[in-house]
């Protein structure tokens, strides 16, 4: 998955990965190793989160469109025959 993060965001993520490994596994991770973890997540785990986010956005859009359609129908004026 081709994603470009800003240097600030990437540095923050690398720091969070290193902190996680240190706190959870008592393991100090080099920046290079943290980058490998980040790349693995981007390539193999990230698409699952991305696809779910797209599905969630699609569900919300469908709800909004249904609501808008209902609101439009409520505005119709009755026509006497």
């Amino acid at each position: 998955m081709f994603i470009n993060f800003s240097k600030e965001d990437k540095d923050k993520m690398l720091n969070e990965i290193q902190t996680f490994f240190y706190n959870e596994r008592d393991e100090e991770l080099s920046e290079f190793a943290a980058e490998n973890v980040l790349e693995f997540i981007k390539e193999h785990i990230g698409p699952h989160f991305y696809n779910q986010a797209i599905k969630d956005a699609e569900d919300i859009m469908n709800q909004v469109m249904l609501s808008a359609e209902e609101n439009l129908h409520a505005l119709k004026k009755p026509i006497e025959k």
Side-chain angles (χ1 to χ4, degrees):
M1 175 176 267
F2 184 73
I3 301 173
N4 284 323
F5 294 109
S6 69
K7 179 172 177 12
E8 294 81 21
D9 285 343
K10 184 178 177 183
D11 288 346
K12 186 174 192 277
M13 286 185 282
L14 293 175
N15 183 270
E16 288 173 356
I17 290 168
Q18 288 172 310
T19 300
F20 173 81
F21 271 78
Y22 184 77
N23 291 339
E24 296 296 322
R25 301 178 52 132
D26 200 24
E27 183 178 343
E28 290 195 25
L29 223 56
S30 69
E31 187 172 326
F32 179 75
E35 284 188 50
N36 285 337
V37 171
L38 180 59
E39 286 302 313
F40 174 81
I41 292 169
K42 280 173 46 179
E43 295 297 321
H44 299 282
I45 307 299
H48 296 281
F49 286 94
Y50 179 84
N51 289 343
Q52 185 61 50
I54 294 296
K55 183 185 176 310
D56 291 347
E58 182 180 40
D59 291 345
I60 290 169
M61 288 301 299
N62 286 335
Q63 291 172 2
V64 167
M65 293 303 292
L66 181 60
S67 177
E69 186 178 336
E70 290 170 354
N71 289 337
L72 284 173
H73 284 293
L75 293 174
K76 285 185 178 179
K77 302 287 183 189
I79 298 175
E80 293 182 28
K81 294 181 182 185

